Amino acid sequence: TAMAQACKATGGAGLSHSRGYENAVNAKISGELNDVESTFPENIKDRALSVFKAAVSEKYSIIQAIEKVEKEALGEIDTVFKGQRFKGFIKFDFDSWVVTISVNKFGNGSAQFSAGVGQKKLVCPDPFMGRLSDPNMNRPLT
């Protein structure tokens, strides 16, 4: 089953954060965890999941929860994949948010993390429906 696609506000290394991103990462997650998708080894995935769920239950903001997972669960990637190339991600799908934490590790370097945060809107702008649902569509051009 494919995970629900969220409207995205993504932040990465060195990007200037938009207000949308700032608002997203400083928000708190509420609702149920619906799904977790990951390419990490099982033990790291399980650890990341338990750390993230604990952070959410402790009312951490999204950015704090992401940082907690990076520190407490994903730091192991440097050790487990020492000297090896590794790319992976974990995606947490909640009722109202989708949070993805990605790891990119080069053989000779340490792991780099990036995160994407998407808020699920009740209605995401659908590129095909955009014109149809535009309230101004039937207004005569003047």
Side-chain angles (χ1 to χ4, degrees), residues 56-76:
V56 168
S57 69
E58 291 165 28
K59 304 281 185 268
Y60 279 49
S61 67
I62 293 175
I63 190 75
Q64 289 169 322
I66 290 169
E67 287 167 353
K68 190 172 168 66
V69 169
E70 289 174 358
K71 266 197 217 76
E72 295 179 21
L74 304 183
E76 278 179 55

Side-chain angles (χ1 to χ4, degrees), residues 125-139:
D126 183 321
F128 300 108
M129 297 301 291
R131 285 192 304 283
L132 297 176
S133 58
D134 183 344
N136 299 321
M137 185 180 80
N138 296 322
R139 203 172 275 175

Side-chain angles (χ1 to χ4, degrees), residues 34-132:
N34 299 317
D35 197 9
V36 177
E37 202 180 304
S38 179
T39 57
F40 294 145
E42 206 61 34
N43 60 329
I44 294 177
K45 173 192 163 185
D46 292 346
R47 177 91 183 110
L49 176 58
S50 73
V51 170
F52 196 83
K53 281 166 82 171
V56 168
S57 69
E58 291 165 28
K59 304 281 185 268
Y60 279 49
S61 67
I62 293 175
I63 190 75
Q64 289 169 322
I66 290 169
E67 287 167 353
K68 190 172 168 66
V69 169
E70 289 174 358
K71 266 197 217 76
E72 295 179 21
L74 304 183
E76 278 179 55
I77 286 171
D78 276 337
T79 314
V80 175
F81 294 96
K82 193 167 180 61
Q84 299 170 47
R85 177 88 173 95
F86 176 80
K87 273 180 85 135
F89 73 90
I90 187 162
K91 185 194 276 187
F92 304 102
D93 184 351
F94 284 85
D95 288 343
S96 54
W97 294 93
V98 176
V99 177
T100 307
I101 304 172
S102 304
V103 177
N104 190 1
K105 182 187 176 316
F106 296 94
N108 57 357
S110 56
Q112 295 174 330
F113 301 111
S114 61
V117 179
Q119 185 169 18
K120 287 188 195 171
K121 306 275 189 225
L122 291 173
V123 181
C124 265
D126 183 321
F128 300 108
M129 297 301 291
R131 285 192 304 283
L132 297 176

